[in-house]
Amino acid sequence: MREKIAEGIRRLPKVAIGDPEDGVELMAKCQMTNFTVKKKKVVGVGSQHLANCKMMASFENGVVSISVRGGRPFMVSVRLDEMMALLKEAADYRNEKFEEGSEKDGEGRNAESGEEE
C-alpha cells in the first residue's frame, strides 16, 4: 500500500529486493521540448507539449529520476545531492533578487525612506 503524504507525493513501500527503504514518487505534468538541430548543433526550439511524468527520489539510492510516459517513453536520473544543490542555489538567487527588488519601489525611490535615488 502506498501512503499519500502531501500534494500527491507518495511514500513507496519496499516490495522487492533492491527497492529502497525511503522511495517516494510524484505523478506530474512536464514540459517536453524538441529542439531544431542543424549540422549536429541545436539552433532553436522546434516544438513543446505537456506530457505525463513520474518523479521518484530516494536518499538511500542517492538519485532523482523523471520518467516520461507516452510517445517514446524514457527516463532521466540525476544524483540527488546535485539536484538539491541546484534547487538551493535557485532559491537563494531568487531570495537575493527579491530582496534587491524590495529595496526600491517602482519609481526609483528607496522603499524604506521614500527618498529619490
Side-chain angles (χ1 to χ4, degrees):
M1 182 172 142
R2 294 179 177 172
E3 183 180 346
K4 185 175 180 180
I5 301 303
E7 301 296 321
I9 298 172
R10 298 174 198 233
R11 292 182 176 179
L12 304 174
K14 182 175 176 122
V15 178
I17 295 173
D19 287 351
E21 297 281 346
D22 63 347
V24 294
E25 75 174 10
L26 172 66
M27 300 303 292
K29 295 283 186 187
C30 63
Q31 181 74 35
M32 296 291 301
T33 302
N34 295 309
F35 296 99
T36 304
V37 178
K38 289 186 181 174
K39 297 182 182 179
K40 298 183 181 181
K41 290 191 175 191
V42 174
V43 295
V45 173
S47 64
Q48 295 181 321
H49 66 278
L50 284 177
N52 293 322
C53 70
K54 181 195 304 189
M55 297 185 288
M56 299 179 79
S58 164
F59 272 91
E60 182 179 325
N61 289 350
V63 174
V64 173
S65 298
I66 301 172
S67 59
V68 179
R69 314 271 172 111
R72 210 172 85 202
F74 67 93
M75 179 188 291
V76 175
S77 297
V78 180
R79 285 180 32 180
L80 185 60
D81 60 336
E82 292 174 340
M83 178 71 78
M84 291 174 67
L86 178 69
L87 295 173
K88 180 190 178 307
E89 187 61 29
D92 291 348
Y93 192 32
R94 170 66 175 108
N95 289 336
E96 288 170 17
K97 291 295 183 183
F98 181 76
E99 289 170 4
E100 288 173 10
S102 67
E103 291 174 4
K104 294 183 180 180
D105 67 14
E107 298 174 358
R109 293 186 191 133
N110 185 308
E112 291 176 12
S113 68
E115 297 175 8
E116 293 283 335
E117 292 189 346

